[in-house]
């Protein structure tokens, strides 16, 4: 009988050599441990090691929320002790002759005891809720029959929601700076700048205040939201009849084609950069926004999480454009070489 794949992943996560991974020291240095968990140091370290392993090594590893049974064990033992004492005291007393009232009230107490505990909103659930909302609002923004005022408002709400989701994800993983001095802030930003969440945050801040609503800019946001929603549904709703009937095939396709979505996002981001350059020739030009966005494209080109997709797209563009420039506009060769030197720096 096949062994549980999650069990194998957990064993691999426990056996991973964290001490020789420089990312682990940066990751752990930005973790803020709540005071009520300080007495459970080893459990906390193991929990964040699994989260680190999920983020950087194996995204398919399921990391369960940290159990609070240890911190509440003493209170539960106290409650059980007091309940036992109360039960013993009751047994010593004579029982009432009429048990009809007890029989009538017992279903009520049984119902109260069987009420499930309220669902806990962990990080994955919050991210799913926000990204599902972003997806719905983005569809409203790009729907052709949506009134222009509502479409523009939905456009900005999409970027605000994605920016909030990215900031929450960064805080959940990296916490806040250990100190508010220049050195600590430098170390903190060096650890979060290459991440996908930080680049999405910069992407959203570039367009959320833009006076022109470029609907083309919603493509990377939609790809991100669809990927998050599909992975959450596959992980938590596999036993739902509604999911199996209507959503399973779509979620399986999305989960198995994340590379295709990332390629689409990178091509849309690059195309948007050229669209902003063309917009400089119109009355709707925004020089500051264009400059900031091309700085962001340069960061995406060099950041490890997006470098492969962006470098592949730029290589294809170079193969097509460079021969044309060399043949029809050779006077631009020096300008192109200067721009490439700045880009690769």
């Amino acid at each position: 009988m096949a062994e549980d794949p999650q069990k194998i992943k957990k064993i691999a996560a426990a056996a991973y050599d964290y001490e020789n991974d420089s990312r682990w020291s940066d990751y752990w240095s930005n973790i803020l441990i709540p005071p009520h968990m300080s007495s459970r140091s080893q459990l906390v370290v193991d929990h964040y090691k699994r989260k680190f392993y999920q983020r950087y090594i194996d995204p398919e590893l399921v990391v369960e929320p940290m159990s609070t049974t240890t911190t509440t064990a003493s209170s539960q033992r106290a409650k059980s002790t007091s309940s036992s004492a109360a039960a013993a005291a009751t047994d010593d007393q004579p029982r009432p002759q009429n048990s009809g009232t007890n029989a009538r009230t017992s279903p009520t107490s049984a119902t109260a005891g069987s009420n499930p505990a309220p669902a806990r909103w962990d990080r994955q659930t919050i991210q799913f809720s926000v990204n599902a909302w972003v997806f719905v609002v983005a569809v409203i923004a790009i729907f052709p029959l949506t009134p222009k005022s509502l479409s523009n408002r939905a456009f900005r709400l999409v970027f605000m929601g994605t920016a909030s989701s990215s900031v929450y994800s960064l805080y959940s993983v990296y916490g806040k700076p250990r100190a508010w001095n220049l050195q600590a802030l430098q170390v903190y930003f060096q650890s979060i700048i290459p991440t996908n969440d930080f680049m999405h945050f910069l992407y959203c801040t570039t367009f959320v205040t833009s006076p022109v609503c470029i609907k083309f800019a919603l493509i990377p946001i939609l790809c991100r939201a669809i990927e998050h929603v599909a992975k959450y549904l596959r992980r938590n709703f596999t036993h739902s009849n509604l999911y199996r009937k209507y959503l399973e095939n779509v979620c399986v396709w999305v989960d198995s084609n994340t590379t295709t979505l990332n390629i689409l996002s990178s091509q849309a981001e690059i195309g948007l950069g050229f669209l902003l350059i063309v917009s400089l020739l119109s009355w709707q030009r925004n020089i500051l926004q264009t400059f900031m966005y091309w700085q962001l494209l340069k960061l995406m080109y060099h950041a490890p999480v997006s470098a492969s997709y962006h470098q592949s797209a730029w290589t294809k563009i170079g193969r097509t454009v460079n021969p044309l420039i060399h043949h029809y506009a050779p006077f631009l060769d020096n300008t192109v070489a200067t721009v490439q030197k700045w880009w690769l720096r």
Side-chain angles (χ1 to χ4, degrees), residues 142-218:
I142 63 177
F143 191 64
L145 300 180
T146 306
K148 186 176 180 179
S149 59
L150 178 60
S151 177
N152 292 342
R153 184 172 298 179
F155 176 85
R156 288 179 172 80
L157 286 175
V158 167
F159 288 103
M160 291 174 63
T162 305
S164 302
S165 172
S166 301
V167 170
Y168 176 75
S169 180
L170 288 171
Y171 181 77
S172 300
V173 176
Y174 297 96
K176 60 183 181 180
R178 302 184 67 180
W180 295 102
N181 54 49
L182 183 60
Q183 184 178 3
L185 290 175
Q186 184 179 2
V187 172
Y188 180 76
F189 280 106
Q190 284 178 349
S191 63
I192 69 171
I193 283 176
T195 63
N196 207 9
D197 290 321
F198 185 77
M199 285 186 287
H200 273 99
F201 171 73
L202 292 181
Y203 182 86
C204 292
T205 54
T206 304
F207 291 99
V208 70
T209 58
S210 174
V212 181
C213 297
I214 306 175
K215 303 299 174 62
F216 191 74
L218 293 175

Side-chain angles (χ1 to χ4, degrees), residues 249-283:
N249 292 334
V250 177
C251 292
V252 169
W253 185 90
V254 171
D255 203 14
S256 59
N257 289 274
T258 53
T259 302
T260 303
L261 293 176
N262 289 327
I263 292 173
L264 175 62
S265 295
S266 62
Q267 292 176 348
E269 288 159 357
I270 294 172
L272 186 60
F274 288 106
L275 185 61
L276 288 174
I277 291 178
V278 173
S279 70
L280 293 177
L281 304 176
S282 69
W283 63 273

Side-chain angles (χ1 to χ4, degrees), residues 24-41:
W24 164 248
S25 58
D26 294 335
Y27 177 86
W28 178 247
S29 64
N30 289 285
I31 296 297
L32 179 64
I33 302 177
H36 68 278
M37 292 184 179
S38 58
S39 62
R40 306 163 58 197
S41 57

Side-chain angles (χ1 to χ4, degrees), residues 71-104:
T71 58
T72 59
S74 59
S75 60
Q76 290 177 352
R77 284 196 297 269
K79 289 181 180 178
S80 61
T81 304
S82 59
S83 300
S84 301
T90 305
D91 290 338
D92 293 339
Q93 295 177 357
R95 297 182 182 273
Q97 296 296 324
N98 186 4
S99 59
T101 305
N102 293 336
R104 286 193 297 270

